[in-house]
C-alpha cells in the first residue's frame, strides 16, 4: 500500500484507501485483513465493478438476483403502458431496458438460470399485453428472432446469457491479450473492420 502511495503519483495515480475495495477469496480474507489493517482499505468477498459483479459465486448470484428483481419491476411498469402505447413500450424495451441486462450478461459468466423470473415476466405479461394474446412456446421463440427474420428481437434472457458472455470474450480477445502482455500497439483499423 505504501509503495503505491510513493510510486503512483509519478504515473498520475493518486491512491485513496477510503475509496479502495480489495476483493479476496474467502480463504484469503484473514490474511488480507491482517496485511491491510489500519490502511482504510475495505475488504470484501465481492463487489460491483463497472456494472459487473466480481467476487465469490454467492456474491455474484445475490447481485444478479437483486438486479433481476429490479428489472422485473421495471418491466411490469412498462407492461402497464403497453396496453395503450404498444409501440412506445416496445421501443423503450428494445432501446432501453434490455440493454441493462445485456451488459451484465456480457460481463458475468454463468448467469442464465438467474434470469428465469425476467423471462417469466416477458413471456407471461409483457408480450401478451403487447400482442393482445397468450403466446405458445413456438410463438415465443418466433418473437425472439431478429426483426429481419420476422420476430420482434425480444430474446429469451435465460438462453441469451451464455452466448452473450462467450461473444463478449471473443470480441475482446485481442485487446485482452494485448493488455495481459502489456503491448502498446493498437490493432490496425483494417483488422477491426474484419
Amino acid at each position: 500500500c505504501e509503495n503505491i502511495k510513493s510510486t503512483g503519483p509519478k504515473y498520475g495515480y493518486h491512491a485513496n484507501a477510503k475509496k479502495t475495495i480489495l476483493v479476496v477469496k474467502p480463504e484469503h480474507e484473514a490474511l488480507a485483513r491482517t496485511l491491510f489493517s489500519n490502511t482504510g482499505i475495505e475488504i470484501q468477498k465481492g463487489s460491483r465493478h463497472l456494472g459487473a459483479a466480481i467476487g465469490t459465486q454467492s456474491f455474484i448470484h445475490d447481485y444478479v438476483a437483486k438486479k433481476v428483481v429490479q428489472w422485473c419491476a421495471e418491466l411490469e411498469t412498462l407492461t402497464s403502458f403497453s396496453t395503450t402505447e404498444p409501440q412506445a413500450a416496445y421501443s423503450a424495451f428494445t432501446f432501453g431496458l434490455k440493454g441493462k441486462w445485456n451488459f451484465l450478461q456480457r460481463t458475468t459468466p454463468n448467469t442464465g438460470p438467474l434470469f428465469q423470473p425476467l423471462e417469466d415476466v416477458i413471456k407471461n405479461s409483457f408480450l401478451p399485453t403487447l400482442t393482445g394474446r397468450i403466446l405458445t412456446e413456438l410463438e415465443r421463440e418466433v418473437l425472439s428472432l431478429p426483426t429481419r427474420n420476422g420476430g420482434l428481437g425480444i430474446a429469451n434472457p435465460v438462453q441469451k446469457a451464455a452466448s452473450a458472455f462467450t461473444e463478449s470474450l471473443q470480441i475482446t480477445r485481442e485487446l485482452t491479450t494485448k493488455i495481459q502482455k502489456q503491448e502498446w500497439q493498437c490493432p490496425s483499423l483494417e483488422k477491426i473492420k474484419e
Side-chain angles (χ1 to χ4, degrees):
C1 187
E2 291 304 317
N3 193 17
I4 291 173
K5 286 181 183 176
S6 62
T7 59
K10 71 180 178 182
Y11 296 104
Y13 180 72
H14 302 277
N16 183 347
K18 290 183 183 356
K19 293 184 177 180
T20 302
I21 297 172
L22 178 63
V23 177
V24 297
K25 293 180 179 178
E27 63 268 21
H28 301 301
E29 184 178 3
L31 176 60
R33 291 197 183 283
T34 302
L35 292 173
F36 293 94
S37 64
N38 301 321
T39 62
I41 293 175
E42 187 177 343
I43 298 171
Q44 297 182 359
K45 295 177 188 168
S47 180
R48 182 188 69 80
H49 180 66
L50 301 175
I54 57 172
T56 63
Q57 285 296 33
S58 64
F59 174 83
I60 292 169
H61 181 277
D62 292 345
Y63 178 83
V64 173
K66 286 177 188 172
K67 289 300 227 178
V68 167
V69 167
Q70 177 185 344
W71 295 326
C72 286
E74 290 175 7
L75 186 55
E76 288 289 2
T77 300
L78 188 59
T79 298
S80 68
F81 294 114
S82 68
T83 55
T84 57
E85 299 290 337
Q87 182 62 38
Y90 172 71
S91 293
F93 178 90
T94 303
F95 298 109
L97 191 56
K98 81 173 183 176
K100 292 180 178 184
W101 60 79
N102 284 349
F103 178 80
L104 185 64
Q105 290 177 334
R106 288 184 189 129
T107 58
T108 311
N110 307 317
T111 59
L114 300 174
F115 284 88
Q116 188 60 52
L118 187 59
E119 169 57 18
D120 292 342
V121 174
I122 292 169
K123 182 181 180 228
N124 301 322
S125 185
F126 182 66
L127 286 174
T129 305
L130 198 64
T131 62
R133 58 190 305 261
I134 302 296
L135 303 174
T136 65
E137 289 298 320
L138 179 60
E139 290 170 325
R140 173 62 183 111
E141 288 180 33
V142 170
L143 293 179
S144 70
L145 294 171
T147 53
R148 68 179 175 273
N149 294 339
L152 289 178
I154 300 178
N156 179 329
V158 175
Q159 295 170 352
K160 184 69 178 153
S163 64
F165 184 74
T166 302
E167 290 163 5
S168 181
L169 286 178
Q170 291 171 348
I171 291 167
T172 60
R173 182 171 289 129
E174 186 175 354
L175 179 60
T176 303
T177 301
K178 288 192 175 294
I179 291 170
Q180 289 171 340
K181 291 181 178 180
Q182 293 294 294
E183 293 178 2
W184 294 93
Q185 260 185 333
C186 292
S188 70
L189 290 176
E190 305 314 313
K191 280 189 172 183
I192 293 173
K193 290 178 184 175
E194 293 174 9

